[in-house]
Amino acid sequence: MTTVLVIAFVAIAAVLAAAVFAIAYRRGRGIPGDVPGAPRRPGVQRDVLAAPSAAAGADDEAEPIDPLEARTEVGVDEYNVTRRQFFNRAIYGVFGLFLANFGLAGLSYMWPKLSGGFGSKVNAGPLDSIVTQLIADDGRIVPLFIPSAQAYVVPFAGDPAGSSFEDLPVIAGGVMALWQKCVHLGCRVPECDSSQGFECPCHGSKYNYHGEYESGPAPRNLDRFAVTVTDGGELVIDTSQVIQTARSATKTAEYPQGPSCI
Ligand code: FES
């Protein structure tokens, strides 16, 4: 979050600096024709009309002065900023601020979350506390759902040798983390307490509680994440990398252990 704010402030400062520079540059040139559509016409200095001379007062018969004839033309350089230029620059400025705002909003939306959320390493909490929640008093497996990791933590007490996830960093502290997303078409797969597995309500794919494929249209096992245990005993789920494993004839958990839920 701090990184995003810093980038946002830097971007806003850059946009404002560019706007100020552009306005200053255009003012420095002082040519109305630089603005699209600005007229290149000479002006009239209305307050510098030729005043009647003192000599004229002496001559009551002198010709009356026609102010239109006596006016002095003013060049475009003396106009400085015209009203049209002012409004053009105001429109450009507002439009630029809108674009900058829109760009920053898009940037913050796309910016990867570098800590704490899904897509990064998620601290699931003390491993000891988690393990005690995974097995009920009657021995049933009770997967623990970790919302910030979008994953189920399940116990793994067996031997992964010969399984489809042998030698992969998916077991630590006697647990695994399974992604909740069905590998068929992406539905959230709930656990089924009675069968002791995961059963997808969308098209009926079934997995045992280690996430191994059992039946249905799913092309592989449930995907899983790498897990580690910190020196302080915290379980960390690395959701930055999805680990896929193929169907395997060698299963590490029994399924079903009771009636199916779907
Ligand atoms: S999305 Fe789960 S079986 Fe189709």
Side-chain angles (χ1 to χ4, degrees):
M1 188 62 189
T2 305
T3 308
V4 173
L5 286 176
V6 169
I7 291 173
F9 282 125
V10 170
I12 289 173
V15 169
L16 290 177
V20 169
F21 176 78
I23 291 172
Y25 175 74
R26 296 177 70 86
R27 285 180 64 93
R29 294 181 65 179
I31 300 174
D34 289 344
V35 179
R40 282 185 175 276
R41 60 180 173 78
V44 176
Q45 187 175 350
R46 299 181 188 279
D47 56 347
V48 191
L49 297 176
S53 67
D59 185 2
D60 293 338
E61 300 302 321
E63 285 284 317
I65 297 173
D66 181 352
L68 292 179
E69 292 294 329
R71 63 184 179 176
T72 304
E73 286 198 347
V74 178
V76 291
D77 289 346
E78 297 175 62
Y79 254 69
N80 207 354
V81 179
T82 66
R83 185 166 51 187
R84 175 174 295 191
Q85 280 180 302
F86 174 78
F87 282 118
N88 280 344
R89 290 169 185 175
I91 290 170
Y92 291 151
V94 170
F95 188 61
L97 286 176
F98 169 78
L99 281 182
N101 218 5
F102 185 76
L104 288 174
L107 185 66
S108 68
Y109 177 76
M110 293 185 293
W111 199 260
K113 294 179 172 50
L114 300 178
S115 64
F118 187 77
S120 65
K121 290 184 177 179
V122 174
N123 188 329
L127 178 65
D128 290 347
S129 168
I130 290 172
V131 168
T132 58
Q133 302 175 59
L134 298 181
I135 302 178
D137 294 340
D138 59 3
R140 287 180 301 108
I141 302 301
V142 184
L144 176 65
F145 186 65
I146 308 294
S148 54
Q150 299 182 16
Y152 293 100
V153 176
V154 295
F156 188 91
D159 183 359
S163 73
S164 55
F165 40 87
E166 180 181 5
D167 295 332
L168 294 176
V170 296
I171 305 169
V175 299
M176 288 193 297
L178 308 177
W179 195 5
Q180 64 167 356
K181 185 177 164 186
C182 184
V183 296
H184 178 224
L185 291 179
C187 290
R188 181 178 186 272
V189 188
E191 80 258 35
C192 177
D193 183 59
S194 55
S195 67
Q196 290 285 274
F198 295 92
E199 299 176 354
C200 183
C202 292
H203 310 101
S205 290
K206 296 177 179 176
Y207 315 84
N208 65 28
Y209 72 81
H210 283 164
E212 292 165 312
Y213 171 85
E214 292 287 350
S215 63
R220 59 181 186 273
N221 298 330
L222 280 179
D223 294 335
R224 54 204 72 214
F225 302 115
V227 287
T228 53
V229 180
T230 66
D231 293 341
E234 307 271 317
L235 177 67
V236 175
I237 303 173
D238 186 359
T239 59
S240 65
Q241 211 170 6
V242 178
I243 298 176
Q244 299 181 352
T245 55
R247 294 177 179 180
S248 172
T250 305
K251 307 286 175 55
T252 58
E254 181 187 345
Y255 178 90
Q257 300 181 27
S260 174
C261 294
I262 59 175

